[in-house]
Amino acid sequence: LLKWLQRAGISEIRVFTDNCRLSFSTPSFRFGFSMSNYQVRPATLRDAKAIAQIHTASALEAYRGIVPDDQLKSMSSVEKRQAYWREAIEYCEPQVQVAIDGDKIVGFVGFDRSRDEKSRQTTGEVWAIYAAPSHWNKGVGVTLWDAAREGLLEEGCTNVTVWVPLRNERALRFHELAGFKREMSTAKTSIIGGIKIEEVRLKRPLN
């Protein structure tokens, strides 16, 4: 593993004994472009508030113009998201990692086995992946996706899925550039923050 990490250009490896994962630093990039470095590490309980703030700000920005402004208010509760992510971090369900720029959290990813019924044990899922709006198009998402992919490979997964709102063109474009393919037969209506959202599942092999 160490030799592979070195070949991949990972410059720093640190083990966290109070959480689920090791962390590493890797050159962060937008598909095809060099960017500055971001550190990726396992989230700790004290990160829950920053994660919730990023989740809320990014969701509001992404859904602006897609859902009515009055309905956006139902998606603006940082407190509810903080409670959710604090529990997720505590029980490692899903596994949560954060991207750091300097000393600031600028994005996070949650990943684990697929939650879909009848899915194979070797199918993983990106439960959530968000970058702060201030860091969109700066390589944070790619760095987090790389971390999730490696984490799922370590868990023995061979495929990975992600559910994305059909009208969230930015998220669809990101995942398709990362090699995901839409499974249009999976389209469904989900309730997110009290709002009905049409979602579709995307899938790709991990190797």
Side-chain angles (χ1 to χ4, degrees):
L1 176 61
L2 180 58
K3 290 182 179 179
W4 184 92
L5 293 172
Q6 290 171 336
R7 288 200 303 270
I10 293 170
S11 57
E12 179 182 352
I13 304 170
R14 292 193 291 171
V15 176
F16 290 73
T17 59
D18 62 340
N19 221 292
C20 307
R21 293 256 152 231
L22 56 77
S23 74
F24 54 85
S25 293
T26 182
S28 178
F29 56 89
R30 184 172 53 194
F31 298 101
F33 298 87
S34 296
M35 302 296 290
S36 58
N37 287 348
Y38 296 106
Q39 179 193 359
V40 178
R41 63 164 173 77
T44 65
L45 291 176
R46 67 181 60 185
D47 297 328
K49 183 175 182 179
I51 289 171
Q53 290 172 334
I54 290 173
H55 192 176
T56 301
S58 184
L60 289 176
E61 188 66 24
Y63 288 107
R64 197 176 307 280
I66 295 178
V67 300
D69 289 345
D70 58 336
Q71 292 184 357
L72 281 176
K73 294 180 181 179
S74 65
M75 303 175 68
S76 62
S77 174
V78 173
E79 290 76 15
K80 289 182 179 179
R81 286 192 170 96
Q82 182 175 351
Y84 173 86
W85 288 112
R86 183 179 178 84
E87 183 175 335
I89 293 166
E90 183 174 2
Y91 295 103
C92 293
E93 188 177 348
Q95 297 177 47
V96 184
Q97 298 201 15
V98 293
I100 309 294
D101 186 7
D103 60 355
K104 183 178 180 181
I105 294 175
V106 294
F108 72 95
V109 62
F111 60 92
D112 215 315
R113 304 284 178 172
S114 172
R115 295 169 290 181
D116 296 332
E117 292 183 7
K118 299 181 180 180
S119 63
R120 296 182 177 182
Q121 283 296 309
T122 54
T123 299
E125 180 184 350
V126 175
W127 292 28
I129 181 168
Y130 288 90
S134 61
H135 282 68
W136 283 1
N137 298 321
K138 295 183 178 179
V140 176
V142 178
T143 302
L144 290 167
W145 155 239
D146 283 344
R149 181 172 57 85
E150 293 307 319
L152 290 170
L153 282 169
E154 290 177 15
E155 294 292 331
C157 294
T158 57
N159 294 283
V160 59
T161 62
V162 61
W163 286 94
V164 179
L166 275 169
R167 297 184 64 186
N168 191 336
E169 295 182 3
R170 174 185 290 274
L172 287 170
R173 184 168 61 250
F174 171 84
H175 287 95
E176 287 173 342
L177 285 171
F180 285 81
K181 302 295 183 183
R182 302 187 199 191
E183 297 181 303
M184 293 307 299
S185 63
T186 65
K188 67 177 183 179
T189 301
S190 299
I191 305 298
I192 301 176
I195 303 170
K196 291 184 178 180
I197 300 291
E198 295 293 326
E199 290 187 306
V200 65
R201 189 174 68 191
L202 291 82
K203 188 176 183 179
R204 63 153 285 173
L206 281 169
N207 51 22

